Amino acid sequence: SPSAARINVYVRKRPLLADETKGPRPDFDVLSTASEEVGASLIVHEPKTLVDLSKAMDNHTFRFDGVFGAAATNAQIFEAALRPMVAHLFGTKGGHATCFAYGQTGSGKTVTMEGLRAASGCAPGNAAGLYALVAEQIFDEISRSKEGLVLRAGFFEIYRGKCYDLLTTKKKRIEVMEDDKGHQQMVGLQLAELATADALLALLGRADRTTRATAQNEVSSRSHAILQLSVVAPAAQSHQAPELRCKLSMVDLAGSEWASMAQSDLRDNRLDGAEINKSLLCLKECICTCTCTHAHMHLHMHLHM
């Protein structure tokens, strides 16, 4: 990000779903934004019952680095949040940035990251997701370089505390180990060299991420999916390793769940929900630590229920 902040927070508001506006007691929208598309503030409406049983409403205003209304598109999110970050990575000749898509189950994280593609009735700006838009920008940057840069992609998931490579024919367990420099390495992770953004989408389309039907969604992501995009320069000599120029990690987190709404007769669903919430709590602690120690993290995207 061009700003001085190490972590930027963006909020996307989704519209009410059809089943939320129907029935004898339809839900009302507890969120409103200053703009239907792109703004900076979000208002939370809190209904209250006073001691005399009369009804009241408290309105709380929150400001973020960017707030996207219900009419905003993936393309607008990319332009505001991710394009400056990728340009910054190439401009500094190095660095590592991370984009988190975080929010409750059903808030639209995967739709934002993957897009709706050819889905009927989707807005043109939502057809492509952040994966495709970021890849296109990276290839534009590479084409302008005279160094013969190459894009390598790795894609894996974290499910119940274990890591699995999603680019192998059959999902393969991989280990996370620390090297002699104190960096975490994904041992055995398959990396694919890509020539176009379409090649990346085709690769991701074959990935078998863990999903399950839940009380809230027919198809719900039950793992954290991490796409690692590394730009490397060819080695000066044959015996040397390629030089890593910059690296972008795009993390589509599994949705957090309310216990009261995630009741299930299936033991696997209950275990998944507990593991997801526990891992998100650990992530929160990591982000707090990174903020205090000024670690090099640039973007935290928060998609709000």
Side-chain angles (χ1 to χ4, degrees):
S1 168
S3 71
R6 297 286 181 166
I7 298 179
N8 292 339
V9 181
Y10 297 85
V11 177
R12 184 181 197 180
K13 176 184 180 297
R14 69 156 174 82
L16 290 177
L17 302 177
D19 59 354
E20 293 172 335
T21 59
K22 297 177 181 178
R25 297 183 62 187
D27 295 335
F28 74 95
D29 202 336
V30 298
L31 298 180
S32 60
T33 56
S35 168
E36 278 298 303
E37 294 185 349
V38 183
S41 61
L42 177 76
I43 303 173
V44 178
H45 310 290
E46 180 189 6
K48 303 181 72 174
T49 302
L50 304 180
V51 291
D52 62 356
L53 301 182
S54 63
K55 303 295 183 180
M57 184 79 72
D58 280 352
N59 299 312
H60 310 278
T61 301
F62 299 89
R63 294 186 63 84
F64 300 90
D65 295 285
V67 173
F68 303 97
T73 64
N74 293 343
Q76 289 174 312
I77 293 172
F78 167 74
E79 290 295 334
L82 281 146
R83 184 181 287 280
M85 183 172 65
V86 175
H88 177 76
L89 287 179
F90 277 88
T92 57
K93 298 291 184 182
H96 184 181
T98 303
C99 168
F100 289 109
Y102 164 74
Q104 192 182 342
T105 293
S107 57
K109 300 177 299 300
T110 301
V111 168
T112 302
M113 300 297 268
E114 296 183 2
L116 294 172
R117 302 188 185 178
S120 60
C122 79
N126 285 329
L130 298 185
Y131 289 151
L133 296 170
V134 164
E136 288 173 0
Q137 183 187 1
I138 289 176
F139 282 114
D140 284 343
E141 297 281 358
I142 288 175
S143 67
R144 288 195 289 269
S145 171
K146 307 299 183 183
E147 302 177 77
L149 299 177
V150 174
L151 177 64
R152 293 178 176 174
F155 192 43
F156 63 96
E157 71 173 0
I158 303 174
Y159 178 63
R160 293 191 186 179
K162 298 180 176 60
C163 296
Y164 299 90
D165 192 340
L166 295 177
L167 296 186
T168 53
T169 305
K170 186 177 181 180
K171 205 181 295 186
K172 185 182 74 170
R173 170 88 181 272
I174 53 177
E175 298 294 339
V176 183
M177 295 186 177
E178 189 174 286
D179 62 17
D180 57 347
K181 297 179 181 179
H183 299 154
Q184 302 299 317
Q185 302 293 341
M186 311 300 297
V187 179
L189 179 66
Q190 178 175 309
L191 297 177
E193 287 194 4
L194 303 172
T196 64
D198 287 339
L200 173 63
L201 294 182
L203 203 66
L204 298 181
R206 297 195 297 269
D208 183 23
R209 184 179 177 185
T210 302
T211 60
R212 204 185 305 278
T214 68
Q216 293 172 269
N217 280 312
E218 291 183 7
V219 180
S220 178
S221 302
R222 312 306 286 167
S223 66
H224 308 306
I226 298 94
L227 173 64
Q228 291 186 342
L229 300 173
S230 303
V231 178
V232 298
Q237 300 181 19
S238 58
H239 66 277
Q240 294 178 330
E243 178 189 356
L244 177 65
R245 286 301 173 86
C246 59
K247 186 176 182 179
L248 174 63
S249 298
M250 302 185 69
V251 186
D252 181 8
L253 294 166
S256 59
E257 296 185 337
W258 295 346
S260 60
M261 297 179 65
Q263 296 296 327
S264 175
D265 294 332
L266 299 176
R267 181 174 180 271
D268 280 342
N269 279 1
R270 295 197 302 272
L271 288 175
D272 286 348
E275 287 292 335
I276 288 169
N277 287 345
K278 183 171 68 174
S279 63
L280 291 174
L281 178 61
C282 292
L283 175 61
K284 185 264 293 185
E285 296 297 330
C286 291
I287 291 175
C288 289
T289 302
C290 288
T291 305
C292 294
T293 58
H294 303 293
H296 197 63
M297 293 177 64
H298 292 280
L299 175 67
H300 172 210
M301 177 173 289
H302 183 111
L303 291 110
H304 197 89
M305 175 69 170

